[in-house]
Amino acid sequence: MYLCFIGIVLFSVVILIRAVYIQQVQGSFWLEQAKEQQQRFVEIDAERGTIYSEDGSMLSTSIPFFNIYIDFMAEGLREKNGKRFKDNIDSLSISLADYFKDKTATEYRQLLQNGYRKKDRYFLFKKNLSFQDYKTLRTMPLVKQGRDKSGFIPEVKDKRLNPFGLLANRTIGLSREYLDSDGKIRNTNVGLEKTYDTILKGEGGRRLMRKVAAGVFVPVDGSEIEPQNGKDIITTLDVNIQDIAENALLKVLTENECEYGTALVMEVKTGKIKAIANLGRRTDGTYWEDMNYAIRASEPGSTFKLATMLSLLEDKYINLNQHVNLEGGAWTVNGRTVYDSENHGYDVSIKEAFEMSSNVGMAKLVMAHYAKKPTQFVDHLKRMRFHQYSGIDLLGETTPVVKTPKNRSWSATSLPWMSFGYEVLVSPLQTLMLYNAIANDGKMMKPYLVNAIKENGLVVKENQPEVLEQAVCNEQTLKLLQELLKGVCNDPHGTGFTLFKGAPYAVAGKTGTSLMANGANGYRDHIYQSSFAGYFPADNPQYSCIVVVKNKPFAPVYYGARIAGPVFKELADKLYAINADKDKKTIPAPKKDSSYYLYAGATEDMQQVMKTLEWRYKDSAGVHEWTRLYAENYAPVMNGQPVSKKNMPDVRGMGLKDALYLLENMQAKVIVRGRGKVKVQSVEPGAPFVKSMPVTIELN
């Protein structure tokens, strides 16, 4: 008994000592643990910056969406025995049913009453409301009294939106987060969204949350650390050029069931990328911007022959009038045969060999002059920067490969095959950089996609054109290379002659067709890569462009001029037309008895135009009327057009600004297609007009 008593005393002493130790020594630790269980900080995402085109069009932006919670234990709802809640529940239920139309007023009333009865502290009421829906909700009974009195708590979430959809989707990139198998947040960004992620995402804030029920936390007022929103990016992309590039590329890919294609447009003087289209074929036969093929290295084929000619001319080994024997289109060197795509005959000038895209001609010239000193040829390629990344502000560029005699893979046939674009790996963008340099009088520019970074509308960083190589060759070589590229598109035996025959502008460029390996099958599947690289107008280059397309196995049509060429031509045609339109300084000469409306607009504006042009004209328009200008007996005539809000006006011939001003003042819903002046309107002039009537105007 005595021993038992002693044991109880000792046990009590141990417990007492342990309690004192916990209280005095570990007390602060356990207090903090208790606090953490009752409250915690959560991260608040910053608003991600917007990506714009050069003209200010939104290419990628964040749109707020709202999750709405209700704290049914909010003091304002419970005071005076819930009088505020009871007084407003019917009118709120009716308003919710009328606006959202997903439940009846009775169903909404039952939902709210159940939450109130259960004293739910964080009831999820609505998910993913748009900003407009959220604004409307805030005007409804009870909700408009504010968070403390109504218990309604908004939680803001951002969703990334590309307003132009597919347009430059891969280059702009994605901004998507997902949970991996370990529960960690991962990011799937690509393109500019990834390259400039740290600038776009800003700095997150923090919010203190208090526990109100098992697993339920609510924000503590006044505890927020505000996030710093991300900065905006102004790209070099032109939405119109990008749209032209993607549509032209898509048309050719679809018609020929090609595997993928890319089209790049660069501004010659600056290196700005104005368009970069990438389309790959999906299993259902449709196309999507699945990969940035523009910066993926492959064997370039015949467009690489420009580099070969640059080397030979720069070293003064040849002149363009010398002749080379094309051996009937087949020539064996070191046990391996070089083939031309067709029999080009035998004795031709070097200029003709290039314009006809002869592999035999290039291989024979390179072997004749560099066989004993291949490093000299390779050094030229390095000077053209084919061995290094382009430097464009996009992540994901694959590593280029330019062999040297020191490489294990170098063989006795590496040099001749390199001369026509095999056994080297370069991206379409790298090839374009060389062609752009030739267009730019020898100056190689660094390609770039971002003009500026803005914060709160102010420029904080601005990118300027950067010269990578002041001269890729001497002036004499440059003139000869420009002559060669013009010849491809203008001389009858040039591979691009048929494509550009009759064009109102001159093009300088080069076709390319290369056989591609297909894994273990090697070259047996006859998969060809078609390409076209060049610049236009040839005499005053504004844009350089490259198109590269991978064809399907055993494609019946695969030559560069037949597949890649049409995409290049459509781009060149439309850009030439756009720039020619911009260069017009005066109204076209009047035609006799013409019903073609030259211009239309406000009378005062039209009179000012005529005075500026110093044209004599007939004017029967009244003051403040709308006026249209046309030709009659070779003389310009201005006639007034009174406008009534009861009848549809005639807006044909007007510019978009005038047509929109007139129609929107009449409260029409205007749909615009095209650019230029109005050619067609969906509602006939003089037809009865009704407020909010939809009117489509087509410009051309």
Side-chain angles (χ1 to χ4, degrees), residues 18-47:
R18 181 64 178 167
V20 171
Y21 175 77
I22 290 173
Q23 184 177 16
Q24 298 299 320
V25 179
Q26 295 184 319
S28 59
F29 169 78
W30 290 112
L31 282 171
E32 286 300 316
Q33 290 293 102
K35 274 186 181 180
E36 285 187 15
Q37 291 181 6
Q38 295 301 316
Q39 59 186 35
R40 66 185 181 191
F41 277 101
V42 297
E43 299 296 320
I44 306 174
D45 292 335
E47 184 178 323

PDB file of all heavy atoms in Angstrom, residues 18-47:
ATOM      1  N   ARG A  18       6.075  18.121 -16.200  1.00  0.00           N
ATOM      2  CA  ARG A  18       5.842  18.180 -17.648  1.00  0.00           C
ATOM      3  C   ARG A  18       4.931  19.346 -18.021  1.00  0.00           C
ATOM      4  O   ARG A  18       5.165  20.055 -19.005  1.00  0.00           O
ATOM      5  CB  ARG A  18       5.203  16.857 -18.102  1.00  0.00           C
ATOM      6  CG  ARG A  18       4.920  16.775 -19.596  1.00  0.00           C
ATOM      7  CD  ARG A  18       6.187  16.812 -20.408  1.00  0.00           C
ATOM      8  NE  ARG A  18       5.913  16.692 -21.831  1.00  0.00           N
ATOM      9  CZ  ARG A  18       6.790  16.934 -22.778  1.00  0.00           C
ATOM     10  NH1 ARG A  18       8.011  17.341 -22.440  1.00  0.00           N
ATOM     11  NH2 ARG A  18       6.483  16.781 -24.032  1.00  0.00           N
ATOM     12  N   ALA A  19       3.911  19.561 -17.168  1.00  0.00           N
ATOM     13  CA  ALA A  19       2.985  20.664 -17.426  1.00  0.00           C
ATOM     14  C   ALA A  19       3.689  22.007 -17.316  1.00  0.00           C
ATOM     15  O   ALA A  19       3.466  22.923 -18.127  1.00  0.00           O
ATOM     16  CB  ALA A  19       1.810  20.596 -16.452  1.00  0.00           C
ATOM     17  N   VAL A  20       4.534  22.138 -16.260  1.00  0.00           N
ATOM     18  CA  VAL A  20       5.290  23.393 -16.089  1.00  0.00           C
ATOM     19  C   VAL A  20       6.229  23.610 -17.265  1.00  0.00           C
ATOM     20  O   VAL A  20       6.358  24.721 -17.799  1.00  0.00           O
ATOM     21  CB  VAL A  20       6.076  23.367 -14.754  1.00  0.00           C
ATOM     22  CG1 VAL A  20       7.036  24.554 -14.677  1.00  0.00           C
ATOM     23  CG2 VAL A  20       5.120  23.373 -13.575  1.00  0.00           C
ATOM     24  N   TYR A  21       6.879  22.538 -17.737  1.00  0.00           N
ATOM     25  CA  TYR A  21       7.817  22.638 -18.860  1.00  0.00           C
ATOM     26  C   TYR A  21       7.100  23.100 -20.138  1.00  0.00           C
ATOM     27  O   TYR A  21       7.554  23.990 -20.856  1.00  0.00           O
ATOM     28  CB  TYR A  21       8.482  21.281 -19.091  1.00  0.00           C
ATOM     29  CG  TYR A  21       9.381  21.251 -20.304  1.00  0.00           C
ATOM     30  CD1 TYR A  21      10.652  21.825 -20.283  1.00  0.00           C
ATOM     31  CD2 TYR A  21       8.936  20.669 -21.503  1.00  0.00           C
ATOM     32  CE1 TYR A  21      11.459  21.799 -21.408  1.00  0.00           C
ATOM     33  CE2 TYR A  21       9.737  20.641 -22.627  1.00  0.00           C
ATOM     34  CZ  TYR A  21      11.012  21.216 -22.572  1.00  0.00           C
ATOM     35  OH  TYR A  21      11.795  21.202 -23.691  1.00  0.00           O
ATOM     36  N   ILE A  22       5.948  22.494 -20.390  1.00  0.00           N
ATOM     37  CA  ILE A  22       5.179  22.862 -21.594  1.00  0.00           C
ATOM     38  C   ILE A  22       4.725  24.305 -21.520  1.00  0.00           C
ATOM     39  O   ILE A  22       4.805  25.056 -22.500  1.00  0.00           O
ATOM     40  CB  ILE A  22       3.969  21.923 -21.763  1.00  0.00           C
ATOM     41  CG1 ILE A  22       4.452  20.514 -22.143  1.00  0.00           C
ATOM     42  CG2 ILE A  22       2.993  22.460 -22.804  1.00  0.00           C
ATOM     43  CD1 ILE A  22       3.355  19.475 -22.171  1.00  0.00           C
ATOM     44  N   GLN A  23       4.263  24.711 -20.324  1.00  0.00           N
ATOM     45  CA  GLN A  23       3.737  26.069 -20.179  1.00  0.00           C
ATOM     46  C   GLN A  23       4.835  27.115 -20.265  1.00  0.00           C
ATOM     47  O   GLN A  23       4.689  28.139 -20.936  1.00  0.00           O
ATOM     48  CB  GLN A  23       2.988  26.197 -18.852  1.00  0.00           C
ATOM     49  CG  GLN A  23       2.319  27.556 -18.669  1.00  0.00           C
ATOM     50  CD  GLN A  23       1.524  27.629 -17.382  1.00  0.00           C
ATOM     51  OE1 GLN A  23       1.699  26.804 -16.492  1.00  0.00           O
ATOM     52  NE2 GLN A  23       0.646  28.600 -17.291  1.00  0.00           N
ATOM     53  N   GLN A  24       5.960  26.864 -19.566  1.00  0.00           N
ATOM     54  CA  GLN A  24       6.994  27.885 -19.467  1.00  0.00           C
ATOM     55  C   GLN A  24       7.976  27.849 -20.644  1.00  0.00           C
ATOM     56  O   GLN A  24       8.421  28.885 -21.112  1.00  0.00           O
ATOM     57  CB  GLN A  24       7.771  27.700 -18.140  1.00  0.00           C
ATOM     58  CG  GLN A  24       6.904  27.866 -16.907  1.00  0.00           C
ATOM     59  CD  GLN A  24       6.286  29.253 -16.828  1.00  0.00           C
ATOM     60  OE1 GLN A  24       6.933  30.255 -17.147  1.00  0.00           O
ATOM     61  NE2 GLN A  24       5.021  29.312 -16.405  1.00  0.00           N
ATOM     62  N   VAL A  25       8.315  26.638 -21.076  1.00  0.00           N
ATOM     63  CA  VAL A  25       9.351  26.505 -22.120  1.00  0.00           C
ATOM     64  C   VAL A  25       8.739  26.439 -23.519  1.00  0.00           C
ATOM     65  O   VAL A  25       9.182  27.100 -24.449  1.00  0.00           O
ATOM     66  CB  VAL A  25      10.224  25.256 -21.857  1.00  0.00           C
ATOM     67  CG1 VAL A  25      11.282  25.110 -22.962  1.00  0.00           C
ATOM     68  CG2 VAL A  25      10.878  25.344 -20.490  1.00  0.00           C
ATOM     69  N   GLN A  26       7.694  25.620 -23.678  1.00  0.00           N
ATOM     70  CA  GLN A  26       7.118  25.428 -25.013  1.00  0.00           C
ATOM     71  C   GLN A  26       5.823  26.205 -25.221  1.00  0.00           C
ATOM     72  O   GLN A  26       5.183  26.062 -26.249  1.00  0.00           O
ATOM     73  CB  GLN A  26       6.827  23.934 -25.237  1.00  0.00           C
ATOM     74  CG  GLN A  26       8.070  23.059 -25.278  1.00  0.00           C
ATOM     75  CD  GLN A  26       7.727  21.617 -25.594  1.00  0.00           C
ATOM     76  OE1 GLN A  26       6.723  21.100 -25.074  1.00  0.00           O
ATOM     77  NE2 GLN A  26       8.531  20.978 -26.430  1.00  0.00           N
ATOM     78  N   GLY A  27       5.482  27.031 -24.253  1.00  0.00           N
ATOM     79  CA  GLY A  27       4.205  27.725 -24.322  1.00  0.00           C
ATOM     80  C   GLY A  27       4.012  28.539 -25.581  1.00  0.00           C
ATOM     81  O   GLY A  27       2.977  28.444 -26.258  1.00  0.00           O
ATOM     82  N   SER A  28       5.005  29.361 -25.933  1.00  0.00           N
ATOM     83  CA  SER A  28       4.878  30.224 -27.116  1.00  0.00           C
ATOM     84  C   SER A  28       4.721  29.405 -28.387  1.00  0.00           C
ATOM     85  O   SER A  28       3.977  29.762 -29.304  1.00  0.00           O
ATOM     86  CB  SER A  28       6.093  31.153 -27.225  1.00  0.00           C
ATOM     87  OG  SER A  28       7.289  30.392 -27.312  1.00  0.00           O
ATOM     88  N   PHE A  29       5.423  28.257 -28.444  1.00  0.00           N
ATOM     89  CA  PHE A  29       5.337  27.404 -29.630  1.00  0.00           C
ATOM     90  C   PHE A  29       3.910  26.887 -29.829  1.00  0.00           C
ATOM     91  O   PHE A  29       3.342  26.952 -30.912  1.00  0.00           O
ATOM     92  CB  PHE A  29       6.308  26.230 -29.504  1.00  0.00           C
ATOM     93  CG  PHE A  29       6.110  25.163 -30.549  1.00  0.00           C
ATOM     94  CD1 PHE A  29       6.578  25.340 -31.844  1.00  0.00           C
ATOM     95  CD2 PHE A  29       5.442  23.979 -30.247  1.00  0.00           C
ATOM     96  CE1 PHE A  29       6.379  24.365 -32.807  1.00  0.00           C
ATOM     97  CE2 PHE A  29       5.241  23.006 -31.200  1.00  0.00           C
ATOM     98  CZ  PHE A  29       5.719  23.194 -32.488  1.00  0.00           C
ATOM     99  N   TRP A  30       3.307  26.355 -28.722  1.00  0.00           N
ATOM    100  CA  TRP A  30       1.978  25.774 -28.838  1.00  0.00           C
ATOM    101  C   TRP A  30       0.902  26.833 -29.047  1.00  0.00           C
ATOM    102  O   TRP A  30      -0.106  26.576 -29.703  1.00  0.00           O
ATOM    103  CB  TRP A  30       1.657  24.934 -27.601  1.00  0.00           C
ATOM    104  CG  TRP A  30       2.488  23.686 -27.553  1.00  0.00           C
ATOM    105  CD1 TRP A  30       3.477  23.379 -26.670  1.00  0.00           C
ATOM    106  CD2 TRP A  30       2.418  22.590 -28.469  1.00  0.00           C
ATOM    107  NE1 TRP A  30       4.041  22.158 -26.960  1.00  0.00           N
ATOM    108  CE2 TRP A  30       3.392  21.648 -28.078  1.00  0.00           C
ATOM    109  CE3 TRP A  30       1.624  22.302 -29.582  1.00  0.00           C
ATOM    110  CZ2 TRP A  30       3.601  20.452 -28.747  1.00  0.00           C
ATOM    111  CZ3 TRP A  30       1.829  21.118 -30.261  1.00  0.00           C
ATOM    112  CH2 TRP A  30       2.803  20.207 -29.847  1.00  0.00           C
ATOM    113  N   LEU A  31       1.144  28.057 -28.515  1.00  0.00           N
ATOM    114  CA  LEU A  31       0.210  29.151 -28.792  1.00  0.00           C
ATOM    115  C   LEU A  31       0.183  29.485 -30.278  1.00  0.00           C
ATOM    116  O   LEU A  31      -0.870  29.733 -30.867  1.00  0.00           O
ATOM    117  CB  LEU A  31       0.588  30.393 -27.968  1.00  0.00           C
ATOM    118  CG  LEU A  31       0.190  30.370 -26.488  1.00  0.00           C
ATOM    119  CD1 LEU A  31       0.820  31.554 -25.754  1.00  0.00           C
ATOM    120  CD2 LEU A  31      -1.335  30.399 -26.354  1.00  0.00           C
ATOM    121  N   GLU A  32       1.376  29.507 -30.868  1.00  0.00           N
ATOM    122  CA  GLU A  32       1.460  29.783 -32.310  1.00  0.00           C
ATOM    123  C   GLU A  32       0.770  28.680 -33.115  1.00  0.00           C
ATOM    124  O   GLU A  32       0.105  28.945 -34.109  1.00  0.00           O
ATOM    125  CB  GLU A  32       2.932  29.908 -32.746  1.00  0.00           C
ATOM    126  CG  GLU A  32       3.600  31.198 -32.311  1.00  0.00           C
ATOM    127  CD  GLU A  32       2.886  32.422 -32.878  1.00  0.00           C
ATOM    128  OE1 GLU A  32       2.542  32.406 -34.083  1.00  0.00           O
ATOM    129  OE2 GLU A  32       2.652  33.372 -32.118  1.00  0.00           O
ATOM    130  N   GLN A  33       0.961  27.428 -32.658  1.00  0.00           N
ATOM    131  CA  GLN A  33       0.311  26.318 -33.353  1.00  0.00           C
ATOM    132  C   GLN A  33      -1.210  26.456 -33.302  1.00  0.00           C
ATOM    133  O   GLN A  33      -1.907  26.220 -34.288  1.00  0.00           O
ATOM    134  CB  GLN A  33       0.729  24.982 -32.721  1.00  0.00           C
ATOM    135  CG  GLN A  33       2.180  24.604 -32.972  1.00  0.00           C
ATOM    136  CD  GLN A  33       2.420  24.308 -34.438  1.00  0.00           C
ATOM    137  OE1 GLN A  33       2.959  25.129 -35.165  1.00  0.00           O
ATOM    138  NE2 GLN A  33       2.004  23.151 -34.891  1.00  0.00           N
ATOM    139  N   ALA A  34      -1.706  26.862 -32.145  1.00  0.00           N
ATOM    140  CA  ALA A  34      -3.153  27.042 -31.998  1.00  0.00           C
ATOM    141  C   ALA A  34      -3.659  28.153 -32.897  1.00  0.00           C
ATOM    142  O   ALA A  34      -4.715  28.054 -33.526  1.00  0.00           O
ATOM    143  CB  ALA A  34      -3.483  27.344 -30.534  1.00  0.00           C
ATOM    144  N   LYS A  35      -2.868  29.248 -32.975  1.00  0.00           N
ATOM    145  CA  LYS A  35      -3.269  30.373 -33.835  1.00  0.00           C
ATOM    146  C   LYS A  35      -3.329  29.938 -35.297  1.00  0.00           C
ATOM    147  O   LYS A  35      -4.223  30.316 -36.044  1.00  0.00           O
ATOM    148  CB  LYS A  35      -2.265  31.525 -33.688  1.00  0.00           C
ATOM    149  CG  LYS A  35      -2.564  32.453 -32.535  1.00  0.00           C
ATOM    150  CD  LYS A  35      -1.603  33.627 -32.594  1.00  0.00           C
ATOM    151  CE  LYS A  35      -1.852  34.573 -31.431  1.00  0.00           C
ATOM    152  NZ  LYS A  35      -0.911  35.715 -31.476  1.00  0.00           N
ATOM    153  N   GLU A  36      -2.314  29.154 -35.700  1.00  0.00           N
ATOM    154  CA  GLU A  36      -2.250  28.731 -37.099  1.00  0.00           C
ATOM    155  C   GLU A  36      -3.447  27.878 -37.474  1.00  0.00           C
ATOM    156  O   GLU A  36      -3.878  27.848 -38.617  1.00  0.00           O
ATOM    157  CB  GLU A  36      -0.947  27.969 -37.358  1.00  0.00           C
ATOM    158  CG  GLU A  36       0.266  28.886 -37.432  1.00  0.00           C
ATOM    159  CD  GLU A  36       1.518  28.135 -37.852  1.00  0.00           C
ATOM    160  OE1 GLU A  36       1.381  26.997 -38.345  1.00  0.00           O
ATOM    161  OE2 GLU A  36       2.612  28.683 -37.687  1.00  0.00           O
ATOM    162  N   GLN A  37      -3.963  27.139 -36.496  1.00  0.00           N
ATOM    163  CA  GLN A  37      -5.137  26.327 -36.783  1.00  0.00           C
ATOM    164  C   GLN A  37      -6.396  27.174 -36.907  1.00  0.00           C
ATOM    165  O   GLN A  37      -7.377  26.763 -37.520  1.00  0.00           O
ATOM    166  CB  GLN A  37      -5.320  25.281 -35.679  1.00  0.00           C
ATOM    167  CG  GLN A  37      -4.238  24.212 -35.702  1.00  0.00           C
ATOM    168  CD  GLN A  37      -4.438  23.171 -34.620  1.00  0.00           C
ATOM    169  OE1 GLN A  37      -5.453  23.196 -33.913  1.00  0.00           O
ATOM    170  NE2 GLN A  37      -3.490  22.255 -34.496  1.00  0.00           N
ATOM    171  N   GLN A  38      -6.387  28.368 -36.302  1.00  0.00           N
ATOM    172  CA  GLN A  38      -7.548  29.241 -36.323  1.00  0.00           C
ATOM    173  C   GLN A  38      -7.494  30.276 -37.451  1.00  0.00           C
ATOM    174  O   GLN A  38      -8.514  30.779 -37.883  1.00  0.00           O
ATOM    175  CB  GLN A  38      -7.693  29.963 -34.971  1.00  0.00           C
ATOM    176  CG  GLN A  38      -7.980  29.028 -33.803  1.00  0.00           C
ATOM    177  CD  GLN A  38      -9.259  28.228 -34.007  1.00  0.00           C
ATOM    178  OE1 GLN A  38     -10.269  28.769 -34.433  1.00  0.00           O
ATOM    179  NE2 GLN A  38      -9.208  26.935 -33.698  1.00  0.00           N
ATOM    180  N   GLN A  39      -6.285  30.608 -37.900  1.00  0.00           N
ATOM    181  CA  GLN A  39      -6.140  31.590 -38.978  1.00  0.00           C
ATOM    182  C   GLN A  39      -4.891  31.296 -39.794  1.00  0.00           C
ATOM    183  O   GLN A  39      -3.948  30.668 -39.312  1.00  0.00           O
ATOM    184  CB  GLN A  39      -6.092  33.013 -38.415  1.00  0.00           C
ATOM    185  CG  GLN A  39      -4.973  33.279 -37.429  1.00  0.00           C
ATOM    186  CD  GLN A  39      -5.087  34.652 -36.805  1.00  0.00           C
ATOM    187  OE1 GLN A  39      -6.181  35.141 -36.558  1.00  0.00           O
ATOM    188  NE2 GLN A  39      -3.958  35.281 -36.556  1.00  0.00           N
ATOM    189  N   ARG A  40      -4.921  31.734 -41.018  1.00  0.00           N
ATOM    190  CA  ARG A  40      -3.785  31.485 -41.910  1.00  0.00           C
ATOM    191  C   ARG A  40      -3.775  32.517 -43.031  1.00  0.00           C
ATOM    192  O   ARG A  40      -4.803  33.135 -43.331  1.00  0.00           O
ATOM    193  CB  ARG A  40      -3.873  30.093 -42.510  1.00  0.00           C
ATOM    194  CG  ARG A  40      -5.064  29.896 -43.444  1.00  0.00           C
ATOM    195  CD  ARG A  40      -5.186  28.470 -43.911  1.00  0.00           C
ATOM    196  NE  ARG A  40      -6.318  28.294 -44.817  1.00  0.00           N
ATOM    197  CZ  ARG A  40      -6.773  27.110 -45.214  1.00  0.00           C
ATOM    198  NH1 ARG A  40      -6.210  26.008 -44.764  1.00  0.00           N
ATOM    199  NH2 ARG A  40      -7.796  27.032 -46.054  1.00  0.00           N
ATOM    200  N   PHE A  41      -2.615  32.681 -43.633  1.00  0.00           N
ATOM    201  CA  PHE A  41      -2.478  33.580 -44.775  1.00  0.00           C
ATOM    202  C   PHE A  41      -2.656  32.789 -46.068  1.00  0.00           C
ATOM    203  O   PHE A  41      -2.177  31.656 -46.180  1.00  0.00           O
ATOM    204  CB  PHE A  41      -1.102  34.250 -44.786  1.00  0.00           C
ATOM    205  CG  PHE A  41      -1.013  35.455 -43.896  1.00  0.00           C
ATOM    206  CD1 PHE A  41      -0.418  35.365 -42.645  1.00  0.00           C
ATOM    207  CD2 PHE A  41      -1.532  36.679 -44.297  1.00  0.00           C
ATOM    208  CE1 PHE A  41      -0.339  36.467 -41.818  1.00  0.00           C
ATOM    209  CE2 PHE A  41      -1.450  37.786 -43.484  1.00  0.00           C
ATOM    210  CZ  PHE A  41      -0.858  37.686 -42.235  1.00  0.00           C
ATOM    211  N   VAL A  42      -3.346  33.374 -47.037  1.00  0.00           N
ATOM    212  CA  VAL A  42      -3.442  32.789 -48.373  1.00  0.00           C
ATOM    213  C   VAL A  42      -2.897  33.793 -49.379  1.00  0.00           C
ATOM    214  O   VAL A  42      -2.944  35.003 -49.161  1.00  0.00           O
ATOM    215  CB  VAL A  42      -4.898  32.420 -48.736  1.00  0.00           C
ATOM    216  CG1 VAL A  42      -5.430  31.367 -47.805  1.00  0.00           C
ATOM    217  CG2 VAL A  42      -5.799  33.648 -48.731  1.00  0.00           C
ATOM    218  N   GLU A  43      -2.349  33.260 -50.461  1.00  0.00           N
ATOM    219  CA  GLU A  43      -1.771  34.115 -51.499  1.00  0.00           C
ATOM    220  C   GLU A  43      -2.873  34.736 -52.366  1.00  0.00           C
ATOM    221  O   GLU A  43      -3.876  34.087 -52.664  1.00  0.00           O
ATOM    222  CB  GLU A  43      -0.821  33.308 -52.380  1.00  0.00           C
ATOM    223  CG  GLU A  43       0.361  32.700 -51.645  1.00  0.00           C
ATOM    224  CD  GLU A  43       1.275  33.758 -51.059  1.00  0.00           C
ATOM    225  OE1 GLU A  43       1.508  34.782 -51.754  1.00  0.00           O
ATOM    226  OE2 GLU A  43       1.746  33.579 -49.917  1.00  0.00           O
ATOM    227  N   ILE A  44      -2.673  35.995 -52.744  1.00  0.00           N
ATOM    228  CA  ILE A  44      -3.582  36.675 -53.682  1.00  0.00           C
ATOM    229  C   ILE A  44      -2.819  36.874 -54.991  1.00  0.00           C
ATOM    230  O   ILE A  44      -1.758  37.509 -55.006  1.00  0.00           O
ATOM    231  CB  ILE A  44      -4.037  38.048 -53.156  1.00  0.00           C
ATOM    232  CG1 ILE A  44      -4.650  37.924 -51.756  1.00  0.00           C
ATOM    233  CG2 ILE A  44      -5.032  38.691 -54.109  1.00  0.00           C
ATOM    234  CD1 ILE A  44      -4.985  39.255 -51.128  1.00  0.00           C
ATOM    235  N   ASP A  45      -3.324  36.304 -56.058  1.00  0.00           N
ATOM    236  CA  ASP A  45      -2.651  36.434 -57.351  1.00  0.00           C
ATOM    237  C   ASP A  45      -2.734  37.865 -57.862  1.00  0.00           C
ATOM    238  O   ASP A  45      -3.771  38.527 -57.741  1.00  0.00           O
ATOM    239  CB  ASP A  45      -3.282  35.506 -58.386  1.00  0.00           C
ATOM    240  CG  ASP A  45      -3.018  34.043 -58.073  1.00  0.00           C
ATOM    241  OD1 ASP A  45      -2.021  33.766 -57.395  1.00  0.00           O
ATOM    242  OD2 ASP A  45      -3.822  33.189 -58.503  1.00  0.00           O
ATOM    243  N   ALA A  46      -1.630  38.320 -58.446  1.00  0.00           N
ATOM    244  CA  ALA A  46      -1.637  39.628 -59.114  1.00  0.00           C
ATOM    245  C   ALA A  46      -2.351  39.490 -60.457  1.00  0.00           C
ATOM    246  O   ALA A  46      -2.425  38.404 -61.037  1.00  0.00           O
ATOM    247  CB  ALA A  46      -0.208  40.106 -59.320  1.00  0.00           C
ATOM    248  N   GLU A  47      -2.878  40.587 -60.950  1.00  0.00           N
ATOM    249  CA  GLU A  47      -3.508  40.581 -62.273  1.00  0.00           C
ATOM    250  C   GLU A  47      -2.418  40.504 -63.329  1.00  0.00           C
ATOM    251  O   GLU A  47      -1.508  41.328 -63.360  1.00  0.00           O
ATOM    252  CB  GLU A  47      -4.334  41.845 -62.466  1.00  0.00           C
ATOM    253  CG  GLU A  47      -5.099  41.864 -63.778  1.00  0.00           C
ATOM    254  CD  GLU A  47      -5.955  43.106 -63.936  1.00  0.00           C
ATOM    255  OE1 GLU A  47      -6.515  43.565 -62.917  1.00  0.00           O
ATOM    256  OE2 GLU A  47      -6.035  43.633 -65.064  1.00  0.00           O
TER     257      GLU A  47
END
